[in-house]
Amino acid sequence: SQQGEEDPQALSIQEGENATMNCSYKTSINNLQWYRQNSGRGLVHLILIRSNEREKHSGRLRVTLDTSKKSSSLLITASRAADTASYFCATGSGGGADGLTFGKGTHLIIQP
Amino acid sequence: NAGVMQNPRHLVRRRGQEARLRCSPVKGHSHVYWYRQLPEEGLKFMVYLQKENIIDESGMPKERFSAEFPKEGPSILRIQQVVRGDSAAYFCASSPMSPGTSGEQFFGPGTRLTVL
């Protein structure tokens, strides 16, 4: 599997429910980030968690990182129709100058 | 406070022609990254540049692709003699400092290249 691989590939839930997406990676990382991409648009940075952090919150977003399992999860609470998008995790190895490595993403659909 | 700007947003080329994609980073950002996204795929890193320097081009195809970030003006991704397989969305991102210190990258809206 690729570095930064998300699952599930697609997720459909009702508005107001919580959405959880997972990401696994293979190599050591400096940080892990989550991005959102609306159809046909650029990526929007959501949250960054460093390798020495275990959990981070930002508004309705909660990210966890387990470096022993090389995995991360993104939780969106109280989902809204506007949360419909593709969500990507991206890893950075840091140490001066690597591009980010993205997974294939989870396509989230919030049904009104 | 403009974000990353890319132009053109859509580009159509015939096989064998050249494609030039432009990226203006966020004002004050000196690090630029180019990524390619195929349909239903994640982004693939191509190249990382600082002003007048290519820092990492490990994701760039060995032939036909080149990138520059001159002292003045936008960063350019150039694809010579395009083939149908080059059809994709090309995204540019910028950051204010090296990934080792921050990591967050600011993405442009992308250029969608279609090769006929």
Side-chain angles (χ1 to χ4, degrees):
Chain A
S1 61
Q2 296 184 35
Q3 178 86 336
E5 191 162 308
E6 298 88 344
D7 94 275
Q9 288 187 315
L11 179 62
S12 180
I13 60 174
Q14 294 293 128
E15 195 168 19
E17 295 181 336
N18 297 340
T20 299
M21 290 159 272
N22 302 297
C23 167
S24 61
Y25 58 93
K26 286 189 163 182
T27 62
S28 60
I29 61 171
N30 176 270
N31 63 70
L32 186 143
Q33 306 176 44
W34 286 89
Y35 287 82
R36 183 185 73 222
Q37 184 180 36
N38 290 88
S39 180
R41 309 288 290 274
L43 276 73
V44 174
H45 182 263
L46 295 176
I47 196 166
L48 179 152
I49 185 166
R50 299 195 183 283
S51 58
N52 61 353
E53 297 176 308
R54 291 295 167 259
E55 187 171 313
K56 203 162 183 180
H57 296 255
S58 177
R60 294 185 295 114
L61 305 180
R62 173 178 167 251
V63 168
T64 62
L65 179 64
D66 186 337
T67 53
S68 66
K69 295 181 179 177
K70 291 187 167 57
S71 67
S72 172
S73 67
L74 170 68
L75 169 68
I76 304 174
T77 60
S79 63
R80 303 168 182 168
D83 295 329
T84 294
S86 291
Y87 292 81
F88 296 90
C89 70
T91 53
S93 57
D98 297 306
L100 296 175
T101 301
F102 285 84
K104 292 186 177 182
T106 292
H107 185 51
L108 175 65
I109 298 172
I110 308 299
Q111 308 209 13
Chain B
N1 205 9
V4 176
M5 299 177 69
Q6 291 187 248
N7 68 82
R9 293 292 307 277
H10 300 273
L11 181 63
V12 179
R13 285 286 178 267
R14 296 190 181 279
R15 279 180 296 170
Q17 292 184 319
E18 178 180 288
R20 280 190 181 232
L21 288 62
R22 295 175 187 77
C23 168
S24 296
V26 173
K27 189 176 181 180
H29 287 191
S30 57
H31 303 255
V32 166
Y33 311 80
W34 285 94
Y35 294 84
R36 177 165 62 178
Q37 185 179 33
L38 296 172
E40 307 301 322
E41 296 277 328
L43 277 69
K44 302 296 185 194
F45 167 74
M46 299 180 74
V47 62
Y48 162 46
L49 310 103
Q50 293 180 23
K51 284 285 187 182
E52 300 184 278
N53 287 302
I54 296 174
I55 307 302
D56 180 358
E57 54 182 349
S58 58
M60 286 275 272
K62 294 288 184 274
E63 297 176 348
R64 302 187 298 108
F65 285 71
S66 62
E68 62 177 15
F69 188 18
K71 187 176 181 181
E72 301 292 337
S75 175
I76 306 285
L77 178 67
R78 183 183 177 206
I79 310 172
Q80 296 177 288
Q81 299 175 328
V82 295
V83 301
R84 289 210 173 117
D86 296 333
S87 295
Y90 292 83
F91 290 94
C92 170
S94 71
S95 69
M97 58 190 76
S98 79
T101 51
S102 172
E104 178 181 352
Q105 296 180 14
F106 297 78
F107 281 81
T111 292
R112 274 145 191 84
L113 172 66
T114 301
V115 179
L116 301 178

